[in-house]
Coordinates of all heavy atoms in Angstrom, one line a residue:
N191 N 128.7 -114.5 154.4 CA 129.5 -114.0 155.6 C 129.3 -114.9 156.8 O 130.4 -115.1 157.5 CB 128.9 -112.6 156.0 CG 129.3 -111.5 155.1 OD1 130.4 -111.6 154.4 ND2 128.6 -110.4 155.1
N192 N 128.2 -115.5 156.9 CA 128.1 -116.4 158.1 C 128.9 -117.7 157.9 O 129.6 -118.1 158.9 CB 126.6 -116.7 158.4 CG 125.9 -115.8 159.1 OD1 126.5 -115.0 159.8 ND2 124.6 -115.8 159.0
M193 N 128.9 -118.3 156.7 CA 129.7 -119.4 156.4 C 131.2 -119.1 156.5 O 132.0 -119.9 157.1 CB 129.4 -119.9 154.9 CG 128.1 -120.4 154.7 SD 127.8 -121.9 155.6 CE 129.0 -123.0 154.8
K194 N 131.7 -118.0 156.0 CA 133.0 -117.6 156.1 C 133.5 -117.4 157.7 O 134.6 -117.9 158.1 CB 133.4 -116.3 155.4 CG 134.9 -115.9 155.4 CD 135.0 -114.7 154.6 CE 136.6 -114.4 154.5 NZ 136.8 -113.1 153.7
K195 N 132.6 -116.9 158.5 CA 132.9 -116.6 159.9 C 133.1 -117.9 160.5 O 134.1 -118.1 161.3 CB 131.6 -116.0 160.4 CG 131.6 -115.9 162.0 CD 130.4 -115.2 162.5 CE 130.4 -115.3 164.1 NZ 129.1 -114.7 164.6
Y196 N 132.3 -119.0 160.4 CA 132.4 -120.1 161.1 C 133.5 -121.1 160.6 O 134.1 -121.9 161.2 CB 131.0 -120.9 161.2 CG 130.1 -120.2 162.3 CD1 129.1 -119.4 161.8 CD2 130.3 -120.3 163.5 CE1 128.2 -118.8 162.6 CE2 129.5 -119.8 164.4 CZ 128.4 -118.9 164.0 OH 127.6 -118.2 164.9
E197 N 133.7 -121.0 159.2 CA 134.8 -121.8 158.6 C 136.1 -121.3 159.1 O 136.9 -122.1 159.3 CB 134.6 -121.8 157.0 CG 133.4 -122.6 156.6 CD 133.4 -122.4 155.0 OE1 133.9 -121.6 154.5 OE2 132.7 -123.2 154.4
T198 N 136.2 -120.0 159.2 CA 137.5 -119.4 159.6 C 137.7 -119.7 161.1 O 138.9 -120.0 161.4 CB 137.5 -117.8 159.4 OG1 137.3 -117.5 158.0 CG2 138.8 -117.3 159.9
K199 N 136.7 -119.7 161.9 CA 136.9 -120.0 163.3 C 137.1 -121.5 163.5 O 138.1 -121.8 164.3 CB 135.6 -119.7 164.0 CG 135.6 -119.9 165.5 CD 134.2 -119.5 166.1 CE 134.3 -119.7 167.7 NZ 132.9 -119.4 168.3
F200 N 136.5 -122.4 162.7 CA 136.9 -123.7 162.7 C 138.3 -124.1 162.4 O 139.0 -124.9 163.2 CB 136.0 -124.6 161.8 CG 136.1 -126.1 162.0 CD1 135.4 -126.7 163.0 CD2 136.9 -126.7 161.1 CE1 135.5 -128.2 163.1 CE2 137.1 -128.1 161.3 CZ 136.4 -128.8 162.2
S201 N 138.8 -123.4 161.3 CA 140.2 -123.6 161.0 C 141.1 -123.3 162.0 O 142.1 -123.9 162.4 CB 140.5 -122.8 159.7 OG 141.9 -123.0 159.3
K202 N 140.8 -122.1 162.8 CA 141.7 -121.6 163.9 C 141.7 -122.6 165.0 O 142.7 -122.8 165.6 CB 141.2 -120.2 164.3 CG 141.6 -119.1 163.3 CD 141.1 -117.8 163.9 CE 141.5 -116.7 162.8 NZ 140.9 -115.4 163.3
L203 N 140.5 -123.2 165.3 CA 140.4 -124.2 166.4 C 141.2 -125.5 166.1 O 141.7 -126.1 167.0 CB 138.9 -124.6 166.6 CG 138.0 -123.6 167.3 CD1 136.6 -123.9 167.1 CD2 138.5 -123.3 168.7
V204 N 141.2 -125.9 164.9 CA 141.9 -127.2 164.6 C 143.3 -127.3 164.0 O 144.1 -128.2 164.2 CB 141.0 -128.0 163.7 CG1 139.6 -128.2 164.3 CG2 141.0 -127.4 162.3
K205 N 143.7 -126.2 163.3 CA 144.9 -126.3 162.4 C 146.1 -126.7 163.3 O 146.9 -127.6 162.9 CB 145.1 -125.1 161.6 CG 146.3 -125.3 160.6 CD 146.1 -124.1 159.6 CE 146.2 -122.7 160.1 NZ 146.2 -121.7 158.9
N206 N 146.5 -125.9 164.2 CA 147.7 -126.2 165.1 C 147.7 -127.6 165.8 O 148.6 -128.2 165.9 CB 147.9 -125.1 166.0 CG 148.5 -123.7 165.4 OD1 149.0 -123.8 164.3 ND2 148.2 -122.7 166.1
S207 N 146.6 -127.9 166.2 CA 146.4 -129.2 166.9 C 146.6 -130.3 166.0 O 147.3 -131.4 166.3 CB 145.0 -129.4 167.5 OG 144.8 -128.5 168.6
V208 N 146.0 -130.2 164.7 CA 146.3 -131.3 163.6 C 147.8 -131.3 163.2 O 148.3 -132.3 163.0 CB 145.4 -131.1 162.4 CG1 145.6 -132.1 161.4 CG2 143.9 -131.2 162.9
I209 N 148.4 -130.1 163.2 CA 149.8 -130.1 162.9 C 150.7 -130.9 163.8 O 151.6 -131.5 163.5 CB 150.4 -128.6 162.6 CG1 149.7 -128.0 161.5 CG2 151.9 -128.5 162.7 CD1 149.9 -126.5 161.4
N210 N 150.2 -130.8 165.1 CA 151.0 -131.4 166.1 C 150.5 -132.8 166.8 O 151.2 -133.3 167.7 CB 151.1 -130.4 167.3 CG 151.9 -129.1 166.9 OD1 153.2 -129.2 166.7 ND2 151.2 -128.0 166.9
C211 N 149.5 -133.3 166.2 CA 149.0 -134.5 166.8 C 149.7 -135.7 166.4 O 150.6 -135.7 165.4 CB 147.4 -134.7 166.5 SG 147.1 -135.1 164.7
D212 N 149.5 -136.9 166.9 CA 150.1 -138.1 166.7 C 149.8 -138.7 165.3 O 148.8 -138.5 164.8 CB 149.9 -139.2 167.7 CG 150.5 -138.8 169.1 OD1 151.4 -138.0 169.2 OD2 149.8 -139.3 170.1
Y213 N 150.8 -139.5 164.8 CA 150.4 -140.3 163.7 C 149.6 -141.5 164.0 O 149.8 -142.0 165.1 CB 151.7 -140.7 162.9 CG 152.4 -139.5 162.2 CD1 153.6 -138.9 162.8 CD2 152.0 -139.1 161.0 CE1 154.2 -137.9 162.1 CE2 152.6 -138.1 160.3 CZ 153.7 -137.4 160.9 OH 154.4 -136.4 160.2
I214 N 148.9 -142.0 163.0 CA 148.3 -143.4 163.2 C 149.6 -144.4 163.3 O 150.4 -144.2 162.4 CB 147.4 -143.7 162.2 CG1 146.2 -142.8 162.2 CG2 146.9 -145.2 162.1 CD1 145.3 -142.8 163.4
P215 N 149.5 -145.3 164.2 CA 150.8 -146.1 164.3 C 151.1 -146.9 163.0 O 150.2 -147.5 162.4 CB 150.4 -147.1 165.4 CG 149.4 -146.3 166.3 CD 148.6 -145.4 165.3
G216 N 152.4 -146.7 162.6 CA 153.0 -147.5 161.6 C 152.8 -146.8 160.1 O 153.2 -147.4 159.1
V217 N 152.1 -145.8 160.1 CA 151.8 -145.2 158.8 C 153.0 -144.8 158.0 O 153.3 -144.9 156.8 CB 150.6 -144.0 158.8 CG1 151.2 -142.8 159.6 CG2 150.2 -143.7 157.4
I218 N 153.9 -144.0 158.7 CA 155.1 -143.6 158.0 C 155.9 -144.7 157.6 O 156.5 -144.8 156.4 CB 156.0 -142.7 159.0 CG1 155.0 -141.5 159.4 CG2 157.3 -142.2 158.3 CD1 154.6 -140.6 158.1
D219 N 156.1 -145.8 158.3 CA 156.8 -146.9 157.9 C 156.2 -147.5 156.7 O 157.0 -148.0 155.7 CB 157.0 -148.0 159.0 CG 157.8 -147.5 160.2 OD1 158.8 -146.7 159.9 OD2 157.7 -148.0 161.3
F220 N 154.9 -147.7 156.7 CA 154.3 -148.2 155.6 C 154.4 -147.4 154.4 O 154.7 -147.9 153.2 CB 152.7 -148.3 155.9 CG 151.9 -148.9 154.8 CD1 151.8 -150.3 154.6 CD2 151.3 -148.1 153.8 CE1 151.1 -150.9 153.6 CE2 150.4 -148.6 152.9 CZ 150.4 -150.0 152.7
I221 N 154.3 -146.1 154.4 CA 154.5 -145.2 153.3 C 155.9 -145.4 152.7 O 156.2 -145.5 151.5 CB 154.2 -143.7 153.7 CG1 152.8 -143.5 153.9 CG2 154.7 -142.8 152.6 CD1 152.3 -142.2 154.5
E222 N 156.8 -145.4 153.6 CA 158.2 -145.5 153.1 C 158.5 -146.8 152.7 O 159.4 -147.0 151.6 CB 159.2 -145.2 154.4 CG 159.1 -143.7 154.7 CD 160.1 -143.4 156.0 OE1 160.5 -144.4 156.7 OE2 160.3 -142.2 156.2
A223 N 157.9 -147.9 153.1 CA 158.2 -149.3 152.6 C 157.6 -149.3 151.1 O 158.0 -150.1 150.4 CB 157.5 -150.2 153.4
N224 N 156.7 -148.5 150.7 CA 156.0 -148.4 149.4 C 156.4 -147.2 148.6 O 155.7 -146.6 147.9 CB 154.5 -148.5 149.6 CG 154.1 -149.9 150.1 OD1 153.9 -150.9 149.3 ND2 153.7 -150.0 151.3
E225 N 157.8 -146.8 148.9 CA 158.2 -145.6 148.2 C 158.1 -145.6 146.7 O 158.0 -144.5 146.1 CB 159.6 -145.3 148.7 CG 160.6 -146.3 148.3 CD 162.0 -145.9 148.7 OE1 162.2 -144.9 149.2 OE2 163.0 -146.9 148.6
S226 N 158.2 -146.8 146.1 CA 158.1 -146.8 144.6 C 156.8 -146.6 144.0 O 156.7 -146.4 142.8 CB 158.7 -148.2 144.1 OG 157.8 -149.3 144.5
L227 N 155.7 -146.6 144.7 CA 154.4 -146.5 144.3 C 154.0 -145.0 144.3 O 154.2 -144.2 145.3 CB 153.4 -147.4 145.1 CG 153.7 -148.9 145.1 CD1 152.8 -149.5 146.1 CD2 153.5 -149.3 143.7
P228 N 153.1 -144.5 143.4 CA 152.6 -143.2 143.5 C 151.6 -143.2 144.6 O 150.9 -144.2 144.8 CB 151.8 -143.1 142.2 CG 152.4 -144.1 141.2 CD 152.9 -145.3 142.1
K229 N 151.6 -142.1 145.4 CA 150.8 -142.0 146.5 C 150.1 -140.6 146.6 O 150.8 -139.6 146.3 CB 151.6 -142.2 147.8 CG 152.0 -143.6 148.0 CD 152.9 -143.7 149.2 CE 154.4 -143.3 149.0 NZ 155.0 -144.1 147.9
Y230 N 148.9 -140.6 147.0 CA 148.2 -139.3 147.1 C 147.3 -139.2 148.4 O 146.8 -140.2 148.9 CB 147.1 -139.3 145.8 CG 147.8 -139.3 144.5 CD1 148.1 -140.6 143.9 CD2 148.1 -138.2 143.8 CE1 148.7 -140.7 142.7 CE2 148.8 -138.3 142.5 CZ 149.1 -139.5 141.9 OH 149.6 -139.7 140.8
V231 N 147.2 -138.0 148.8 CA 146.3 -137.7 149.9 C 145.0 -137.2 149.4 O 145.0 -136.1 148.5 CB 146.8 -136.7 150.9 CG1 145.8 -136.3 152.0 CG2 148.1 -137.3 151.7
I232 N 143.8 -137.7 149.5 CA 142.5 -137.2 149.2 C 141.7 -136.9 150.4 O 141.3 -138.0 151.2 CB 141.9 -138.1 148.2 CG1 142.8 -138.4 147.0 CG2 140.4 -137.6 147.7 CD1 142.1 -139.4 146.0
S233 N 141.4 -135.8 150.8 CA 140.8 -135.4 152.0 C 139.6 -134.4 151.9 O 139.5 -133.9 150.9 CB 141.9 -134.8 152.9 OG 141.3 -134.3 154.1
G234 N 138.8 -134.4 153.0 CA 137.7 -133.6 152.9 C 138.1 -132.2 153.7 O 137.2 -131.3 153.8
T235 N 139.3 -132.0 154.0 CA 139.9 -130.8 154.4 C 140.1 -129.8 153.3 O 140.5 -130.1 152.2 CB 141.3 -130.9 155.3 OG1 141.1 -131.9 156.4 CG2 141.9 -129.6 155.7
P236 N 139.9 -128.5 153.4 CA 140.0 -127.5 152.5 C 141.5 -127.5 151.8 O 142.4 -127.7 152.6 CB 139.8 -126.1 153.2 CG 138.7 -126.5 154.3 CD 139.2 -127.8 154.7
Q237 N 141.5 -127.3 150.6 CA 142.9 -127.6 149.9 C 144.0 -126.8 150.6 O 145.1 -127.3 150.8 CB 142.7 -127.2 148.4 CG 144.0 -127.3 147.6 CD 144.4 -128.8 147.5 OE1 143.6 -129.6 146.9 NE2 145.5 -129.2 147.9
D238 N 143.8 -125.5 150.7 CA 145.1 -124.6 151.2 C 145.4 -125.2 152.6 O 146.6 -125.2 152.9 CB 144.6 -123.1 151.3 CG 144.5 -122.5 149.9 OD1 144.9 -123.2 148.9 OD2 143.9 -121.5 149.7

């Protein structure tokens, strides 16, 4: 219960801000320039 409480609160604190924050400069251009290659995001953020 304690883990769920703080994980849920943390998600509420960060999710909208992460959705709206800036990109690291040049990342989208770099990704698009390498469109023929398989690409994956591997993150420490919960899957959902």
